[in-house]
Amino acid sequence: MLDTPKLNPPTSAVVRPEGMVPTRALMTNRPSKPLLAFNGVWKRLCRDPRLSLRNAVADVWSNWRSPQTPPILRPGEFWALQDIHFSIHRGEVLGIIGFNGAGKSTLMNLASRVLHPTAGTVESGSAHIQLLDPDAGLNPVQTGRENAFNRLVMNGVPRESANARIDAVAEFAGIGDAFESPVGTYSLGMRLRLGYALVAQEQPDLFLVDEA
């Protein structure tokens, strides 16, 4: 992440993280409600693990007492994201390109509700949003087939149906005989292909891809 000045979040100016560039393929006619919207989102992180837990506890207490208090930077902290505004509607594709440390992965974690914003709001118009990262939640000891079966069952697919859908996952992934090998032997690209094939079976309304 890039260091930024230790200032309270302003209420008006739009500040993009340095080196982060959004690119978008737009629909001609947008529906009224977006699938995902960032409204003035700020996120602070802490580099010092000794201070991180203390700050997290303080945040819980502060949010409970007065959630509208403007956040400030404390020792060891920095702004990972500053005043981010955007929305994604059904049928759109939004790409964010930036240098290492620009805040792209932090933004993905906020979009998938892994993290909560320090200030601003992240609004979702769908309960079915999937995040795919290089690990993709795969067990490196199990084969691609075993990972596929476990992932489908964990997402509520009956065991009988899961067995029938595994061949579709294998065909979509397109990794050949490696599907029967432990995932720990896969390249990064192969893991992403398998992870994408698994997520595609769930047919999410919004698909988030990190490190694509």
Side-chain angles (χ1 to χ4, degrees):
M1 297 298 175
L2 299 177
D3 289 323
T4 52
K6 297 185 177 182
L7 301 173
N8 291 348
T11 57
S12 57
V14 177
V15 182
R16 300 288 185 183
E18 183 179 345
M20 185 184 292
V21 180
T23 62
R24 181 191 296 271
L26 292 172
M27 295 174 54
T28 304
N29 297 313
R30 284 185 164 192
S32 58
K33 185 175 180 60
L35 290 173
L36 181 69
F38 274 52
N39 304 306
V41 171
W42 293 68
K43 181 60 182 177
R44 66 186 173 195
L45 297 176
C46 183
R47 289 193 176 94
D48 190 335
R50 296 171 299 177
L51 299 174
S52 182
L53 178 59
R54 186 186 71 181
N55 291 344
V57 173
D59 288 341
V60 172
W61 175 252
S62 175
N63 290 337
W64 178 74
R65 293 191 61 188
S66 53
Q68 301 302 321
T69 302
I72 60 173
L73 287 180
R74 296 160 295 194
E77 292 184 332
F78 64 99
W79 290 117
L81 295 173
Q82 300 182 68
D83 204 16
I84 301 297
H85 298 260
F86 71 85
S87 62
I88 303 175
H89 293 74
R90 189 176 300 276
E92 289 187 333
V93 177
L94 175 65
I96 299 177
I97 304 170
F99 300 113
N100 290 336
K104 302 183 299 296
S105 293
T106 300
L107 188 148
M108 290 292 102
N109 285 323
L110 286 165
S112 58
R113 302 302 177 91
V114 174
L115 297 175
H116 294 282
T118 303
T121 60
V122 177
E123 298 178 359
S124 173
S126 170
H128 201 184
I129 295 177
Q130 289 284 353
L131 171 65
L132 175 63
D133 61 24
D135 294 328
L138 301 174
N139 186 328
V141 178
Q142 295 179 332
T143 66
R145 180 175 296 277
E146 291 167 338
N147 270 285
F149 178 83
N150 292 336
R151 175 70 174 264
L152 291 169
V153 171
M154 286 175 60
N155 283 281
V157 178
R159 288 177 175 269
E160 298 77 13
S161 300
N163 282 318
R165 292 170 66 175
I166 285 178
D167 290 339
V169 173
E171 182 178 359
F172 196 99
I175 57 177
D177 293 340
F179 192 67
E180 309 298 340
S181 301
V183 169
T185 64
Y186 289 11
S187 67
L188 174 60
M190 293 168 66
R191 290 200 304 271
L192 281 171
R193 289 175 72 92
L194 177 57
Y196 183 82
L198 289 168
V199 173
Q201 284 291 316
E202 301 170 24
Q203 299 181 338
D205 293 322
L206 183 61
F207 193 21
L208 306 173
V209 183
D210 196 10
E211 302 292 346

